[in-house]
Amino acid sequence: AAKAAGKSAYRTCTPALRESAVSRAELIADLRRAVDEGQLQLEFQPIVDLATGAVRSAEALVRWRHPRLGMLDPAKFLPLAEATGLILPIDRWVLQEACRAAAAWRQNAPGVIVAVNIAAAHLRRPDLIATVIAATADAGLSPRALTLELTESALIEGSDVVLDRLRQLRELGVRIAIDDFGTGYSSLSYLHRIPATELKIDRSFVARLGAEAPRAYATVEMVTRLAGAFDLAVVAEGVETEAQHAAVTAIGCVHGQGWRYGRPAALPELLAALTPVDVAR
Ligand code: C2E
Ligand code: MG
Ligand code: MG
Ligand code: MG
């Protein structure tokens, strides 16, 4: 019985958390304070135009500077945040900060938009639209300069209410990206219902472009064609090598993201990466 109880107590612990001396309950208490105490911070990763190398947008990625555990990646605390509902205030904070950052960089690089990840829980909330309107308005950012990234699984559970909410966001000018495409329960039948503007091919497919070239190539090619048919822009995620860059470019992906173009970095580093090309656009 003790064994079973122990097991269930750890069910939502990530491996990293289990190794540390901090209990789940402590971490939840810490996370509750993290937003108010300014322990969250953002990094930005460029998404480039493959043909020119120009930065087209930057994705905001959250990190938590934990007072005792040091810097934590999203994988170490987002599952807990989602399980407890703390993801809502976290994502709201990320949205506000990212909009502010984008409003500032657009003074020098007017074309460069910002992408923000939004957890599935937001789609079930009627106040999502108001949250987005408030964040962009407070920052003085055009909603057209904002992309919301949603995972396939978040979108697929989409009821008519959710689809309607997405359409309202589109009417405001907000862009909608399907993140990590290919990793969820990809049902092609839902794709035409979702008012998305872009599709991000998951990096697991891009990673295989080196090793199992023919099959991986065919997969990325098929997704790119599919996106074209649905009039969606395509972003290849996780491009690390020259060979992967050459492959996704040859296949016809228009945009790329990954270490080949730039790692997630603090805002000043992103600003330095915004070349005169971006400024000129
Ligand atoms: P994602 O949205 O697919 O973000 C891309 C992830 O891939 C980031 O990890 C990024 O650092 C990593 N990455 C980018 N390029 C490369 C590459 O070339 N090679 C490799 N190996 N990795 C690369 P990160 O920052 O750890 O974020 C992980 C996930 O956490 C994100 O995946 C996203 O789903 C989630 N996430 C991050 N920030 C937020 C947030 O503010 N809110 C919500 N709801 N989710 C977030
Ligand atoms: Mg993303
Ligand atoms: Mg992604
Ligand atoms: Mg991914």
Side-chain angles (χ1 to χ4, degrees):
K3 205 176 174 189
K7 220 174 173 184
S8 75
Y10 283 102
R11 193 176 294 148
T12 54
C13 279
T14 60
L17 182 51
R18 215 172 297 144
E19 285 156 25
S20 78
V22 179
S23 74
R24 184 175 188 269
E26 276 178 282
L27 205 69
I28 292 171
D30 292 348
L31 193 53
R32 228 176 267 290
R33 284 189 297 261
V35 174
D36 291 338
E37 301 194 350
Q39 294 167 4
L40 297 183
Q41 59 189 60
L42 290 184
E43 286 189 334
F44 294 90
Q45 184 178 31
I47 296 169
V48 304
D49 185 322
L50 290 173
T52 64
V55 178
R56 171 189 171 257
S57 63
E59 178 175 3
L61 297 161
V62 70
R63 279 89 181 84
W64 178 15
R65 196 204 309 259
H66 188 280
R68 295 181 309 282
L69 301 176
M71 200 66 90
L72 300 181
D73 277 345
K76 302 224 173 89
F77 63 94
L78 286 188
L80 204 57
E82 288 186 10
T84 54
L86 288 169
I87 191 70
L88 294 167
I90 291 175
D91 277 356
R92 240 178 264 132
W93 178 85
V94 170
L95 184 64
Q96 285 163 4
E97 288 300 303
C99 287
R100 270 186 217 140
W105 80 54
R106 282 168 63 86
Q107 307 214 330
N108 292 319
V112 180
I113 62 188
V114 68
V116 175
N117 295 284
I118 291 288
H122 292 277
L123 287 181
R124 297 190 282 269
R125 293 188 60 97
D127 61 1
L128 174 65
I129 311 287
T131 301
V132 170
I133 291 175
T136 49
D138 287 352
L141 184 76
S142 163
R144 293 180 187 284
L146 173 67
T147 303
L148 296 183
E149 296 196 0
L150 293 143
T151 61
E152 247 178 303
S153 32
L155 291 167
I156 212 164
E157 51 184 70
S159 59
D160 288 345
V161 178
V162 164
L163 291 173
D164 202 55
R165 208 160 276 151
L166 292 172
R167 271 182 227 115
Q168 279 176 263
L169 287 168
R170 285 294 302 130
E171 275 161 29
L172 289 172
V174 174
R175 309 169 59 82
I176 309 285
I178 306 178
D179 205 352
D180 303 340
F181 186 80
T183 58
Y185 299 95
S186 301
S187 152
L188 298 182
S189 65
Y190 83 94
L191 205 55
H192 77 275
R193 303 179 61 205
I194 302 196
T197 51
E198 63 198 71
L199 190 154
K200 300 185 79 177
I201 303 179
D202 189 65
R203 73 179 155 90
S204 58
F205 300 104
V206 176
R208 275 182 253 141
L209 284 175
E212 314 162 19
R215 282 184 171 187
Y217 199 95
T219 309
V220 175
E221 195 169 41
M222 184 207 70
V223 174
T224 304
R225 288 245 184 91
L226 186 72
F230 281 94
D231 216 15
L232 302 171
V234 183
V235 183
E237 288 189 327
V239 179
E240 295 182 356
T241 67
E242 283 310 309
Q244 290 163 357
H245 169 73
V248 297
T249 304
I251 286 168
C253 294
V254 177
H255 302 113
Q257 180 179 15
W259 298 346
R260 160 71 170 70
Y261 317 109
R263 298 208 178 213
L267 187 56
E269 284 162 73
L270 172 74
L271 292 174
L274 297 179
T275 63
V277 180
D278 310 309
V279 178
R281 275 190 314 168

